[in-house]
Amino acid sequence: MSQRSKIGNPDGLSRLFSRFSTRVSSLSDTVRSAATKHFGRHKEQEPRQTQELNDSQDATNDVSSPHDLIPWIDLLPPELLAAIFQEYVELGRSPWNLACVCVKWREVALRIAVLWKHLLVIDNRRMVRRFASQQVPGYRNRLIFGRFQICMTAEQVDDAVSRTGSVLLDVKIALSQQKDPDVLPANNSLDLLLKVFGTNGIHRRIGSISIYGLPSTVPSFPQPLIASFPSLNSFTCTTGSTEWFPLIGQMLSPSRGLTYLRLNARFLDVVKHSEFWGTLQDLHVGESALADPHVCEIAANTALSRCQRLESLHIGTATRWPNANSPTVSHNKLLNAQLHCHPRYLGQLRAPLLKNLDITELQQSTECTSVDTSGFPAVEKLTAWTSDPRWIYGSKFSNLISLSITSPYHRIVADTHWGGVPPNEVFVPNAFPLVEEVKFHVASTDITFIAALESVPNAQKITIVPGVLPNPNFGQDLLPRLSGPEPFVICPKAQRIQIGIRLECLDASKDILEPLVQTVVDDRQRGGSPLESFIIYWPRPILMKEYVKHEGDVVG
């Protein structure tokens, strides 16, 4: 029986509705946003179209059978249905889910080329069995993974591309590195490589390419393998042997519209002189155990001095940037930065719009008590993994609203660990009055945490992680300071308090601490500033316990 005859038959329609109800219902969350966008472009027809939308929403609420659903669908104009379909696919779902619902949806979906631009090129049956989310109904050899169409042969690539019109393609490649019984014949892998990278392939149509697997050695090709990618705007390569580096570097060199680049540290040296750095907006340099740090430093200094449009930057451990040899550079559009470096070199970065700074210290900074942070005055969120936080409190982060400090030590740190300086001199009182959210992940004692909290007097959300080793006296001095009358209480505006995390529970005396915790909760309730939550992670077994009672809650 044809699809059309099934739809005309009430019983067949019921079966189809049951089969696809999950897919149809998942669209309801996107109707409002898509409709808003659509109607916003046609304000002259707004009253009539708004009434149609309201009628459609009323119909949605009353759906109880396939016959109730059909009129609601028919009310949607094709352009609104197309907008909903695009929202649906952008959420990571396959357009085939839409095309298999009914004839009308299939016709609309097949006319929207952008829905079909996502291709996953793969040659390993094991990976297909593991990752393929489902088989397209009615098509034995057509597999999908999220919004991606899986292509295991050059013919399947051609078939998938045929539905994309002239839109730029989003291609992911995961080819096997070693010979494997589950890998398709070698000539098939070669055909796939030629189809994507070859001069006679689809290279001119690719806007985004992500490489997650390549053969360990570069095979012999009957034609020049690497072609230029004139439309490329996003490139990711997290794998591949060094044999591939020159070829991929050749592919990227002429790219002048690249805005997103993600690669491992070893590859940075290959592309440091490419032409795309001036247009790059998002750069992620990952880890590589085999990378030479000195080579990576030089490559990073060369490349990052040419980036004028960066908005997001992630530098892994092997790259170490900025470093002692880095020139002072200005990134006037940079908003987010995640760096691995010694704090003293932060002064070589100028980023006046930087909002989020995440820094992991590579070396102990016991001699670094202040850092020139004048180059990024707008930082609002600071996340630091550091063995000595004195440089944070000796610097000027005057606009911080979120602060997280993690010490790499997993043993109990003495109160005078940081250069023999007592905690109340390390954590300067009232240093960050604007901070609302704070996390201190330091294996230390109550004296340290009291001093740390006194540095953020207006914190509203507090997380304290005192380490994984037994600390039997933890909390006996800290918790009384979180209760009681002002001006003695610390962080009087606190709304949420958490001690411990799931992987690092509080190993202290539960019998002693629970009455103190309850006192904190009761005192703040009586003082007119009740807590929204007070959570402690206890070990053996791991238990997250909430100590603030809410109406209808069963506490504990």
Side-chain angles (χ1 to χ4, degrees), residues 26-27 30 33-34 37 82-95 97-98 112-118 146-148 167-170:
S26 65
L27 288 171
T30 64
S33 60
K37 294 178 183 178
I84 295 173
F85 285 4
Q86 292 183 51
E87 293 279 344
Y88 178 84
V89 173
E90 287 306 310
L91 291 175
R93 301 184 176 100
S94 174
N97 293 342
L98 305 170
I112 309 171
V114 71
L115 301 182
W116 308 92
K117 69 177 184 177
H118 307 285
R147 60 186 174 186
F148 286 85
V167 302
L168 295 180
L169 304 176
D170 174 20

Side-chain angles (χ1 to χ4, degrees), residues 480-498:
R481 291 298 310 278
L482 289 169
S483 61
E486 294 192 49
F488 305 104
V489 65
I490 54 177
C491 300
K493 297 181 180 180
Q495 298 177 359
R496 298 175 179 270
I497 300 175
Q498 177 179 321

Side-chain angles (χ1 to χ4, degrees), residues 499-510:
I499 299 178
I501 54 179
R502 187 168 297 278
L503 296 180
E504 295 192 28
C505 301
L506 176 60
D507 199 351
S509 174
K510 189 174 182 181

Side-chain angles (χ1 to χ4, degrees), residues 119-121 147-148 169-175 196-197 206-214 229 232 234-239 248 251 260 262:
L119 279 62
L120 173 58
V121 179
R147 60 186 174 186
F148 286 85
L169 304 176
D170 174 20
V171 180
K172 295 187 185 299
I173 301 174
L175 301 182
V196 176
F197 293 117
I206 296 179
S208 172
I209 187 167
S210 302
I211 301 174
Y212 299 111
L214 287 172
F229 285 67
L232 194 65
S234 175
F235 179 80
T236 297
C237 183
T238 60
T239 188
I248 297 178
M251 176 185 74
Y260 177 88
R262 183 186 181 101

Side-chain angles (χ1 to χ4, degrees), residues 24 105 112 170 213 266 273 342 359 381 524:
V24 174
W105 283 29
I112 309 171
D170 174 20
R266 287 195 300 166
H273 295 299
H342 193 291
I359 176 171
K381 181 178 181 180
R524 290 185 177 251

